[in-house]
Structures are given as C-alpha cells and as structure tokens.
Amino acid sequence: MPNARLTSTYWTGFRHGAPFLLVIAPFGILFGVVGTEAGLNLAEVMGFSILVIAGAAQFTAVQLMADNAPTFVVLATSLAVNLRMAMYSASITPHLGAAPRWQRAIMAYFLVDQSYAVAHARYEAHPEMSLAERVVYFFGVITPVCPMWYLMTLAGALAGQEIPPEYAIDFAVPITFLALVAPALRTLAHVAAAAVSVTLALLLAFLPYSSGVLIAGAAAMVVGAWVEKRTGART
Amino acid sequence: MTQGALEIWGIILALGVGTFLIRYSFLGLIGERKLPDWVLRHLRYTPVAVLPALVAPLVVWPEATGGSFDLPRVAAAAATLGAGYLSRNVLVAIAAGAGTLYGLLFLIG
C-alpha cells in the first residue's frame, strides 16, 4: 500500500510543521501591521508575503522603503538577508535533487527557514526514505506553515491602521530580529560576525540611504568565516 | 514612504524573483554538485551579519523618539538578546523583549 504510506508520511510532516504556527502567527500579523503602518496598501502587503515569502527580508525591505532608501539598496540588503537560503538549497539538494524539475521549483518557492530545518533533519535521520516520501514529507511540513503566513499577514494588514503609536509598534521589528539572531549566536565566529556588524553599522550610519548596512553585513560575513577557519568551529 | 505604486511593485517583484532564484539555485540548477567550502562558510554567517546591522541603529537612535537614546528600547533590546541567547528560543526572546519594553514604557513613559 504505497499510497497509505505516503499519506501517513504527509501527516507526519504536517505534525512536525505545526509547532511553527506559534512563531508564524505573530510574525505574520506583525508584518501586516508594520507594512500597513509604513504606508503599503493591502495588495502590496499581501504581494510581499505571497511573492517573497521570507519574513526577515520583507521587514528589511519595508524598513528601508520607509527610510526612502534607493531601490538598489532596498533590493541588495533584502536579498543579502536571504542569502542563507542558498545554503539551504545546496544542503537539501542531495535529498531532493532527483525529483522532477517542476516539483523542485515548487519546493524551492517553499524553502523557508522552518521547512528547511525540519525536512533536512528528517532526511538525515531517515536515509531509507524514498524520493516520493521525501517530497510528500516536505509538503506536509509546509502545509501548516506557509498558508498561515499569508492568512496572518492579511489579519495584521486589516488590523494595522487601528494600532495607535503609544503601542510602540516601531520597536516590534528590532525585537523580532534580535530574537532571531540571539539563538543563532552559537560559536565565537557567530558572535564576532554580529559584533562587527553592529559596530560598523553604527560607525557608518552617516552614510546615505542605509548603505552602511550593506558594508557592515559584508564585512561581518567575512569576519565570521575567517574566525571559523581560525577556530575550526562549525555550525 | 515616498515610493510610488509602480516602484513598490517593482521592488516586490524583483525581491520575489531574486529570493526564488536564491532558493532554486542549487536545488534546481546545480543538481547534486557540492558547493565550495569557502562559499558555505560565508553563507553560514549571513543572518548574524546582516540582521544586527539593520537593528543596531534602530536601537541606538530610534526614530519614534526623534533619534535620542531611549531607555525602554535599549533595555528591551538587551532583554531580547539575553533571553534569546540563554533560551535558544525565538518566542521566549520576543516575550522577554516585549515584556521589558511595555513594562518600562508603563513605568517611566
């Protein structure tokens, strides 16, 4: 009964993706609120969540757009935030690379932090999974995650204009970004990269259009990689 | 925000296509070939390299206070970072940061 087996694999994936609702729901609402407060209309806010589907990069773009940064800086900085996904793509390819091209394209669209982390761990722990099972599992994981991202963004965008300034919603983005960064500070290399990033961003804040962020980010990546090589520490 | 509708949609589309291509890069185009180590080594640090650079000015010179130092916001940032580092949990970090921010805003305004 291969179909029954695939169905159960799908639901296993679904169960493993479900806990992320706790992160996705508030983050999605927040993007809807922040986007609306920054001056985007409903269609534009939803355009971001559906076409880009990458929380941190979406917040980055909206933040820089609100600062009236030039389009080039908005795109370069936001895409830099997403560069980590090239690493996801590379590391999941041995497990999914044999799937048909159209399936790989759909999975690439849904290759977000959560689906990558859960699916990659599962494939490593269960090398006996067939290709069909891996694909079905991947779709199981994203089923509770990605549609909820769209829905919660919509909820936030609809609520957005009604949130008064004394709720200090301006600081939701820094808190969310710091909450993403802090658990990632696993090694000396990560800490060094973050320290260089903060220092240069503050020193270069005088540069126009937030372009100091790009320089700080690039320098911090180099420093992180350099420290990793020196210390031999990984992940 | 001074961008017009056309510019905003241009950014959304370019960011959508660019993000998709980043995700599709190896899975779709490179197949099962391995990335060089030095490339992986740099990619590993993109989140901790880019996000702090974005946040630092917002914490030190918040726009909501006209760019002057603001104790609730700096304390909230520190609480988020500390709780996130110790708990390794995004939700715990957000709760600690939001709790600190609203607690201090309530106390000292």
Side-chain angles (χ1 to χ4, degrees):
Chain A
M1 290 288 284
N3 283 340
R5 190 175 168 139
L6 287 182
T7 306
S8 107
T9 304
Y10 173 85
W11 287 111
T12 306
F14 188 98
R15 254 195 345 267
H16 293 169
F20 289 109
L21 289 176
L22 288 173
V23 187
I24 294 296
F27 207 31
I29 290 173
L30 192 56
F31 181 74
V33 170
V34 169
T36 309
E37 298 250 315
L40 297 176
N41 65 33
L42 188 65
E44 290 158 352
V45 170
M46 294 313 293
F48 265 111
S49 274
I50 293 171
L51 295 176
V52 184
I53 184 168
Q58 293 176 218
F59 279 108
T60 301
V62 168
Q63 180 78 47
L64 291 172
M65 287 162 79
D67 289 346
N68 298 316
T71 301
F72 165 76
V73 172
V74 174
L75 291 176
T77 310
S78 310
L79 288 173
V81 169
N82 280 341
L83 261 186
R84 69 187 184 285
M85 291 163 182
M87 193 178 68
Y88 300 169
S89 185
S91 93
I92 211 148
T93 295
H95 302 289
L96 296 173
R101 186 172 288 272
W102 66 271
Q103 287 183 3
R104 280 182 283 150
I106 297 173
M107 290 188 288
Y109 167 78
F110 287 117
L111 190 60
V112 298
D113 295 299
Q114 292 80 10
S115 56
Y116 165 73
V118 172
H120 186 261
R122 182 76 177 179
Y123 302 154
E124 294 279 305
H126 295 272
E128 79 283 359
M129 287 173 87
S130 70
L131 178 63
E133 285 176 308
R134 288 185 201 140
V135 171
V136 159
Y137 180 83
F138 187 90
F139 283 106
V141 173
I142 60 174
T143 305
V145 172
C146 294
M148 196 50 86
W149 176 246
Y150 311 143
L151 271 179
M152 290 296 114
T153 301
L154 182 63
L158 292 174
Q161 281 131 335
E162 289 155 31
I163 296 181
E166 53 269 29
Y167 282 78
I169 199 79
D170 66 286
F171 215 60
V173 172
I175 285 179
T176 313
F177 277 16
L178 288 169
L180 291 170
V181 164
L185 296 172
R186 287 185 300 266
T187 65
L188 180 63
H190 290 93
V191 175
V196 168
S197 168
V198 167
T199 309
L200 283 182
L202 294 178
L203 289 176
L204 299 176
F206 68 91
L207 289 175
Y209 312 123
S210 309
S211 51
V213 170
L214 272 181
I215 300 170
M221 279 169 73
V222 171
V223 167
W226 181 78
V227 172
E228 177 190 308
K229 202 165 186 197
R230 289 290 304 256
T231 58
R234 287 194 38 161
T235 64
Chain B
M1 190 171 296
T2 56
Q3 292 90 344
L6 202 64
E7 203 175 349
I8 291 172
W9 278 107
I11 288 173
I12 293 172
L13 286 177
L15 202 51
V17 170
T19 302
F20 175 78
L21 289 177
I22 290 173
R23 287 170 169 151
Y24 188 66
S25 56
F26 295 92
L27 189 56
L29 301 174
I30 310 252
E32 306 194 22
R33 272 175 285 163
K34 285 266 182 194
L35 266 179
D37 268 354
W38 71 269
V39 174
L40 284 175
R41 203 179 305 125
H42 284 79
L43 291 177
R44 244 194 300 282
Y45 295 96
T46 51
V48 293
V50 180
L51 296 180
L54 285 162
V55 168
L58 301 176
V59 173
V60 180
W61 302 298
E63 206 175 298
T65 61
S68 59
F69 179 88
D70 184 58
L71 180 64
R73 284 176 172 78
V74 172
T80 309
L81 206 54
Y85 182 78
L86 294 175
S87 71
R88 310 269 140 182
N89 184 310
V90 175
L91 283 182
V92 170
I94 291 176
T100 306
L101 178 66
Y102 290 124
L104 287 175
L105 282 177
F106 177 76
L107 285 175
I108 62 180

